[in-house]
Every structure is written in structure tokens, then in C-alpha cells.
Amino acid sequence: MTSSSSPSQDTQRLAHAYPEGLRADALMEEDVAWSHEIDGERDGDQFDRSERAALRRVVGLSTELEDVTEVEYRQLRLERVVLVGVWTTGTAQDADNSLAELAALAETAGALVLDGVIQRRDKPDAATYIGSGKAAELRDVVIETGADTVICDGELSPGQLIQLEDVVKVKVIDRTALILDIFAQHAKSREGKAQVALAQMQYMLPRLRGWGQSLSRQMGGGRGGLATRGPGETKIETDRRRIREKMAKMRREIADMKTGREIKRQERRRNKVPSVAIAGYTNAGKSSLLNRLTGAGVLVENALFATLDPTVRRAETPSGRLHTLVDTVGFVRHLPHHLVEAFRSTMEEVGDSDLILHVVDGSHPAPEEQLAAVREVIRDVGATDVPEIVVINKADAADPLVLQRLLRVEKRSIAVSARTGQGIEELLALIDDELPRPSVEVDALVPYTHGKLVARAHTEGEVISEEHTAEGTLLKVRVHEELAADLAPYAPVSAA
């Protein structure tokens, strides 16, 4: 039962609880913008950065008759939002961190956060999420700040959404809708856009509103002739049917695209190329780490879910072993179930890998919560059996005591900084040690006329020693069984 008390006890204002700028910067790596001089060497060419930040001219909107080539660009008006959360478990700091993350999500989506309130309850109210009395207080906050949107830190039922909007008189969205909006803005590839569209339709289906209570749009009754008796279809039923048809079509398209990615994975498996997946919380620095390790040039931005589409790059260990590095989509607490299902084919890259680099933000206020949230999603995609290395990123900005705690608790972990390069050499050596090694050790004297076998030994196996003699190349290698059978006819006489 929720106890009644004064608003100052039940409702905490983020604007007063946090110092200036802490709400959205709580999860961010640094407060400075990306610059080519500082970050260009690490991150390579940021081709998407200028495109994302560019102003796009819309042809045909100019009303100036004399000179239609000049267009005056005005800054778009951002949505002004108030955040609201319900604190049910954990400490007050946990509740503050959750709402700070919601503020960062809102600003990533392009909103202007004006205020935030938290209510202490045993569980969210079934009708209005925060209760009728607090909903009325929230209405006062909306009027006072001039907000036009309320964002709730949780997934609201259709009934909660409607009733809370009736009280506050402005648009209400929940955490799930906000994350879906960010994904829709940042998806670039055809598959990514299809996955986001499927997740959005799954979310919209039970929340359709509008003409739901209107009368039939088809003729009913007994005067319409054959096959027209009955109530017919209402507008909302028509919309739901069309959405289900679009969802079925989208699932077929995603399945077809999944087949293409599976063929590429099979090709890598056929060539015995190990795969390393980079997984982790959003904004933990996965793309920065990929750029540092391979020079991939993937977009790096101080924002949540800056990159969504998986990127595969070829890499090499210090000992010369080839492998692939896969940058996956970032995770977040309470990641919407619709997104997990829609992006399952993309997240399968984690399950099919030979090693997971689990990147965590060492400078975050609660890195253990990030680790737990990511591991929950890894369990959902069935990747619990894949070996894991915990990479504690942003070590240059982290509290040394937090780093020591994480390194002590996580047995297979290493502290690095993708920005400064700290610990990168040690990480590469650790990847070399942890990658699965070929099972068969072979000695072979390969004639110079069969150079392809020597090349395969370098690309598919691990060369222990190599010597060029008069008869050919004397190899001592560790390879898989298929290549071992091809090298067997060339075993040196001394080894026979």
C-alpha cells in the first residue's frame, strides 16, 4: 500500500537533485565534441558524422518569388519534455541513475529535458502509472515548465497511456516508445530499418486509437443483400489487420536478409576464421574499441545507440592469426522485448562467435548494473556458452577504486582506454590466448610448387615454425583436421 505524504517526500525533482548538466551527462564519456585532430587517428574517417548533423533542404517550401535559391534555415523546435519515474526497489541513487539514463535517451532523440520527478511506490499504479493525485501534481509541473510531452521511465499499458494523457493534457510516451524512436532515427542499413519497423508495429498494434469506437464502415443489417449481414469491420479492426499483414511481410523480408548473412558466416566458418563479437551497454565505447583495434572508421558519437548496424572487420592477433571483429548493437536496461525479437537475427552474431568482448563503461556510476543488463540479453539470444572477456573501457576517466573492484570481481577482465590506447596491447595478447586453437599439430615439407598449402597454413592455422630448405618449405603448424589431411602426404622422412 502506498503511503500518503507531502509532495516533497514522495516527489524528487531532478533539477534540484543534480548539479548542472549531470542529468544527460551521467552516461557520457566526455563533455567535448569529437574533433578530427584529437580523435581522427583513433576513429578514422567519420563519414556518417557530417551527414547526421547536416541541414537538409526541402525543395518547394520557399515562398520568396524573387530569389528561390536562398533558403533561410531556422533551428527546429525541440520537444520540451518532463520525465517521470516510479521508484519501487533499490536505493534512491538507483532511481536517480535510471532517470538520468532516461534523460540521456530523451536528449539523444532530440528532446529538451526541462524537469524530472520520481515517486516512491510499492508498484506502478494500474490506472495512471503514478496515481491520480500525483498525476494532478504532474499536470502542474507540465504547466509550470511549458512542456509538451511527458516521458515515463517504464513501459505503460494502453490504458495507463490514455488515462495519464487525459489528466496531464499533453502527449505521453513511455521508455519503449522513446528507444524505438532513437532506433528509427539511427538505423542506416536496409535490414536495420526493417527490424526497427517490425518492432514499432509490434508496439503499436495494441495501442491503436482513433476511430476504435466508431460504427461499422461496412453496410450491416438485413437490407444489404447477401454477405453483408453483421457489423462489418470498424476502422481500428481494419488498421490492425493491415498492420498484421505488414508485420508478416516484414518478417519474411528479414528472414531473407538473415539468409544472406548466414551464408557469409558459413563462408567464414568454412575457412576456419575465428569470430570475436564486441557486445556491451550502449555508449560503453564498443565502436571506439573497434576503431582502435582495426581502424574501421565506424561512427563514434557521445550519444546512446549512435550505431545500430553490425560491422564486421578483419583483424590479426600479435602472433599473426586472422579473425573477425563484429561490432553489435548496444544494450540497455529494460531493453524492449519487441527490439530483442526484431534484432534477434543481428544478435545471433554474438551467439555464433568464438569469443565475446563484453565492453563496460568503467566511468559509469553503476558498471555492475550494465554488466547484469547485457548478460541478461546474452542469455536471451542463447550465447551463454561462448567464452567472455570483460573489457573495462574508459579506464583513463574511471575511479581507480572502481577499476580495482571490477578487476577483482570479474576474473577474466582487463582495463583499457580506447581513447588513449591504454591496455590495447595487453587486450590483443589476451584475445590471442583465448581464441580457439586448431587441434592437430603437423610437420610437413611442402614443395615450392604447392605454395597454396603454405598460404592456407598461415590463414587457417597457427604456424609454430617455418624454414625454407632446398626441397621446399618445412612447416611445423597447428591446423584443423581437414588441412592436416591435405598436409599429411608431405610429412618429412625424419618424422615418418
Side-chain angles (χ1 to χ4, degrees):
M1 179 177 179
T2 305
S3 59
S4 60
S5 58
S6 64
S8 61
Q9 293 173 328
D10 279 346
T11 305
Q12 302 172 8
R13 295 284 184 87
L14 277 184
H16 303 300
Y18 283 108
E20 180 67 25
L22 182 58
R23 292 176 300 176
D25 290 338
L27 308 177
M28 300 306 181
E29 177 181 0
E30 64 278 316
D31 296 330
V32 296
W34 187 94
S35 68
H36 183 76
E37 292 77 10
I38 298 175
D39 304 312
E41 182 179 352
R42 179 188 77 237
D43 295 324
D45 294 324
Q46 300 289 289
F47 297 116
D48 290 341
R49 180 172 303 280
S50 58
E51 179 185 347
R52 184 171 291 183
L55 290 172
R56 294 175 176 82
R57 179 179 175 183
V58 181
V59 179
L61 295 186
S62 175
T63 57
E64 179 63 54
L65 298 179
E66 295 180 1
D67 186 3
V68 295
T69 61
E70 295 296 328
V71 177
E72 180 184 0
Y73 292 106
R74 296 180 176 87
Q75 184 178 6
L76 294 176
R77 180 179 179 274
L78 301 179
E79 286 196 54
R80 300 160 60 85
V81 302
V82 170
L83 312 179
V84 57
V86 173
W87 169 23
T88 57
T89 58
T91 64
Q93 185 62 43
D94 293 336
D96 289 349
N97 289 340
S98 181
L99 212 63
E101 181 176 272
L102 187 68
L105 287 168
E107 294 194 358
T108 299
L112 178 64
V113 179
L114 301 177
D115 208 346
V117 295
I118 299 175
Q119 189 198 6
R120 183 72 169 95
R121 294 180 63 93
D122 296 332
K123 60 181 180 180
D125 182 70
T128 59
Y129 183 65
I130 54 176
S132 57
K134 296 304 175 187
E137 292 182 23
L138 179 62
R139 169 62 180 161
D140 295 337
V141 174
V142 169
I143 295 175
E144 176 188 340
T145 58
D148 49 32
T149 305
V150 170
I151 305 178
C152 297
D153 191 17
E155 184 167 339
L156 272 60
S157 68
Q160 288 174 321
L161 206 62
I162 294 172
Q163 295 191 52
L164 188 57
E165 277 189 353
D166 288 342
V167 176
V168 299
K169 306 301 182 186
V170 295
K171 180 173 68 175
V172 176
I173 64 173
D174 57 14
R175 182 188 180 94
T176 300
L178 179 61
I179 294 176
L180 286 171
D181 182 76
I182 295 172
F183 272 56
Q185 291 182 47
H186 292 177
K188 303 290 289 183
S189 68
R190 177 169 169 258
E191 183 174 13
K193 292 177 180 178
Q195 289 168 329
V196 172
L198 176 60
Q200 287 178 319
M201 285 187 285
Q202 287 176 317
Y203 175 80
M204 286 165 46
L205 189 59
R207 293 172 173 81
L208 288 179
R209 284 183 285 172
W211 288 8
Q213 297 177 347
S214 65
L215 297 177
S216 169
R217 300 181 71 212
Q218 296 180 2
M219 185 180 297
R223 294 181 296 172
L226 296 175
T228 59
R229 295 177 178 83
E233 265 190 321
T234 61
K235 175 65 166 60
I236 197 169
E237 289 169 345
T238 305
D239 291 342
R240 284 175 177 161
R241 175 170 51 80
R242 288 175 176 170
I243 287 180
R244 290 191 185 99
E245 291 172 354
K246 288 183 179 178
M247 287 171 59
K249 179 182 177 183
M250 204 68 69
R251 287 192 179 99
R252 290 193 297 270
E253 291 180 359
I254 292 174
D256 292 340
M257 289 182 275
K258 176 185 175 182
T259 302
R261 198 184 323 98
E262 180 61 29
I263 291 173
K264 293 179 182 178
R265 280 203 295 261
Q266 288 177 356
E267 183 69 15
R268 294 197 295 267
R269 284 197 290 264
R270 187 178 67 82
N271 293 327
K272 309 298 180 183
V273 179
S275 174
V276 179
I278 303 177
Y281 212 79
T282 180
N283 208 46
K286 298 183 299 302
S287 297
S288 296
L289 183 64
L290 178 69
N291 289 341
R292 171 65 74 172
L293 293 175
T294 67
V298 175
L299 173 71
V300 172
E301 191 171 10
N302 195 20
L304 306 185
F305 299 114
T307 51
L308 296 181
D309 302 314
T311 303
V312 182
R313 289 292 184 271
R314 174 173 167 168
E316 191 173 315
T317 64
S319 65
R321 300 173 62 198
L322 293 177
H323 62 280
T324 59
L325 273 172
V326 184
D327 182 19
T328 61
V329 64
F331 304 142
V332 73
R333 278 181 299 184
H334 312 301
L335 190 66
H337 179 71
H338 313 298
L339 278 175
V340 176
E341 287 300 316
F343 277 78
R344 182 171 295 276
S345 60
T346 300
M347 293 176 181
E348 285 174 358
E349 295 282 359
V350 178
D352 289 340
S353 63
D354 298 293
L355 179 67
I356 296 175
L357 298 185
H358 184 164
V359 184
V360 60
D361 183 356
S363 64
H364 188 270
E368 290 87 356
E369 291 183 8
Q370 289 193 350
L371 286 167
V374 173
R375 283 171 175 159
E376 182 179 350
V377 180
I378 289 176
R379 282 195 301 271
D380 289 342
V381 298
T384 53
D385 296 333
V386 182
E388 175 192 71
I389 297 175
V390 176
V391 181
I392 307 168
N393 195 21
K394 308 182 186 179
D396 56 321
D399 185 341
L401 294 178
V402 174
L403 287 180
Q404 292 177 13
R405 184 179 76 235
L406 289 173
L407 291 170
R408 184 177 63 253
V409 173
E410 300 294 337
K411 302 304 180 186
R412 291 155 54 96
S413 60
I414 183 171
V416 306
S417 171
R419 167 172 282 274
T420 64
Q422 171 189 343
I424 296 298
E425 295 298 327
E426 293 82 355
L427 175 60
L428 288 170
L430 188 57
I431 293 173
D432 201 353
D433 293 337
E434 294 292 337
L435 279 177
R437 296 181 178 275
S439 56
V440 184
E441 188 171 308
V442 176
D443 291 317
L445 181 59
V446 183
Y448 290 119
T449 55
H450 293 71
K452 287 185 178 180
L453 281 177
V454 178
R456 285 182 60 192
H458 280 275
T459 57
E460 301 177 21
E462 182 180 354
V463 178
I464 301 173
S465 65
E466 183 178 18
E467 181 183 351
H468 298 288
T469 67
E471 293 79 14
T473 305
L474 182 60
L475 290 174
K476 186 179 182 67
V477 294
R478 188 177 288 111
V479 294
H480 52 84
E481 295 180 357
E482 181 182 345
L483 183 54
D486 293 339
L487 289 171
Y490 305 103
V493 177
S494 60

